[in-house]
Amino acid sequence: MLDQPDDIHPLFYGAPQSTEFRKLRKRIVRMTREAIEQYGMIDPAADVDAKKPRWLICLSGGKDSYTLLAVLHELQWRGLLPVDLLACNLDQGQPGFPATVLPGFLEKMGVPHRIEYQDTYSIVMDKIPAGRTFCALCSRLRRGNLYRIAREEGCSAVVLGHHRDDILETFFMNLFHGGRLATMPPKLLNEEGDLFVYRPLAHVAEADCEKFATAMKYPIIPCDLCGSQDGLQRQQVKAILDGWERNSPGRRQVMFRALTNARPSHLLDAKLFDFAGLQRDCGGIEENPQDKVPGD
């Protein structure tokens, strides 16, 4: 069973024994496994190959990345994830960042890891004018370093902790500000074509990640760089979604389900559906020209 104390990964030591937490844990594990299978994150031959694929788990120290780390190790521990896992934290030189927290935690849990220091903070502060958001440049610099580390470590995929709400918020940011229907895909091939980017928590709610990481008492490290700025587009979208959820509980899940149920013929993108080539089916009966009304 999932909660036998003598059959768990160290990341789950001290887990609450309440029924509520057991249900939460089981739900997150199930949803993560479903996403991995649904979006083809595992090569069918991975469990028979002599050399297993290796994933780079990107660990920021936030609630989402801790949840990702624990659940993937749980699946691996139980023989349901035939890959090698390497946790990685990119210390970006942010002032006040507690650099010893993650190494100490990972050592204690016996998790293979790599800690990388790259001062991207100074670059962001130098390039971005005062009052502007840091997220775009910070993200690009971080992603470039993570790709490099993945190649150096022989990893086939970079694995991120974005959850359902991140994906939904990104969709609405693109809708409101980008003029396009797009979001974070659960599986992506990088531009160079040599690395996958996976988001195994794609189906998991942010609230579940928060409840899980809090219950496990993982040492959460907040990101003060982005969080210190007011008026970020993502915060605005999040506030809108929070309001909808309060007024209609379950609305987030309904909207998320819509992202998995796209109908190109009922949208307006002629690149996705051949509207010009759409023809009526007259059942093989040729129309009589005399029956046509002028102006039809």
Side-chain angles (χ1 to χ4, degrees):
M1 295 294 293
L2 193 63
D3 295 293
Q4 292 179 353
D6 58 344
D7 187 24
I8 58 175
H9 188 277
L11 283 164
F12 284 91
Y13 287 169
Q17 295 302 305
S18 67
T19 300
E20 181 181 2
F21 180 81
R22 294 184 183 190
K23 290 181 178 179
L24 171 67
R25 177 180 167 187
K26 182 177 293 186
R27 181 167 64 249
I28 294 175
V29 170
R30 172 176 53 79
M31 287 182 168
T32 303
R33 187 181 180 189
E34 287 175 354
I36 290 172
E37 293 177 352
Q38 179 178 354
Y39 300 111
M41 299 181 192
I42 297 294
D43 186 334
D47 56 352
V48 297
D49 287 346
K51 184 178 180 181
K52 292 181 181 179
R54 197 179 200 198
W55 288 5
L56 188 75
I57 306 175
C58 301
L59 191 64
S60 66
K63 63 183 184 305
D64 311 324
S65 63
Y66 276 120
T67 301
L68 176 70
L69 181 75
V71 173
L72 291 184
H73 277 85
E74 175 77 0
L75 290 171
Q76 184 199 54
W77 182 265
R78 303 201 174 278
L80 300 174
L81 187 64
V83 302
D84 289 329
L85 301 173
L86 178 67
C88 176
N89 172 250
L90 179 63
D91 182 344
Q92 297 178 260
Q94 184 177 337
F97 182 78
T100 61
V101 170
L102 282 171
F105 173 80
L106 295 170
E107 288 286 350
K108 180 180 178 181
M109 296 296 150
V111 174
H113 62 277
R114 171 171 169 175
I115 305 297
E116 180 84 4
Y117 178 82
Q118 292 290 332
D119 186 8
T120 63
Y121 173 83
S122 296
I123 298 175
V124 171
M125 297 301 293
D126 180 63
K127 298 294 184 182
I128 302 299
R132 300 291 297 274
T133 60
F134 305 131
C135 298
L137 179 58
C138 181
S139 177
R140 286 198 300 272
L141 293 173
R142 180 172 62 249
R143 188 67 59 87
N145 277 291
L146 292 173
Y147 284 170
R148 171 183 57 79
I149 295 168
R151 294 183 182 106
E152 292 174 358
E153 296 290 345
C155 297
S156 61
V158 171
V159 188
L160 306 176
H162 295 127
H163 46 65
R164 181 201 68 180
D165 296 71
D166 287 325
I167 292 173
L168 191 58
E169 289 163 13
T170 301
F171 170 79
F172 279 102
M173 287 175 64
N174 281 316
L175 178 67
F176 294 154
H177 303 288
R180 59 184 178 272
L181 298 181
T183 188
M184 300 171 172
K187 180 180 180 180
L188 174 72
L189 187 64
N190 70 337
E191 292 182 0
E192 294 79 5
D194 65 331
L195 290 170
F196 283 113
V197 177
Y198 294 152
R199 295 180 172 94
L201 299 183
H203 294 169
V204 179
E206 179 180 16
D208 281 352
C209 292
E210 185 168 5
K211 290 176 184 175
F212 177 84
T214 300
M216 290 303 304
K217 299 181 180 179
Y218 292 143
I220 305 299
I221 302 173
C223 177
D224 295 325
L225 178 62
C226 299
S228 63
Q229 295 177 286
D230 295 328
L232 289 176
Q233 293 175 355
R234 185 171 293 274
Q235 292 177 353
Q236 295 170 349
V237 168
K238 186 177 181 65
I240 292 172
L241 296 179
D242 286 343
W244 288 346
E245 187 70 22
R246 282 193 301 270
N247 293 331
S248 301
R251 187 60 53 201
R252 265 192 171 93
Q253 184 58 28
V254 172
M255 291 186 290
F256 181 79
R257 190 164 65 244
L259 296 180
T260 70
N261 190 26
R263 299 186 179 183
S265 64
H266 287 57
L267 296 173
L268 283 77
D269 193 338
K271 298 186 295 296
L272 297 180
F273 186 81
D274 184 12
F275 293 98
L278 192 62
Q279 300 293 326
R280 290 186 301 150
D281 183 1
C282 297
I285 301 176
E286 185 177 354
E287 287 184 327
N288 186 340
Q290 294 180 350
D291 295 335
K292 297 191 68 177
V293 177
D296 281 359

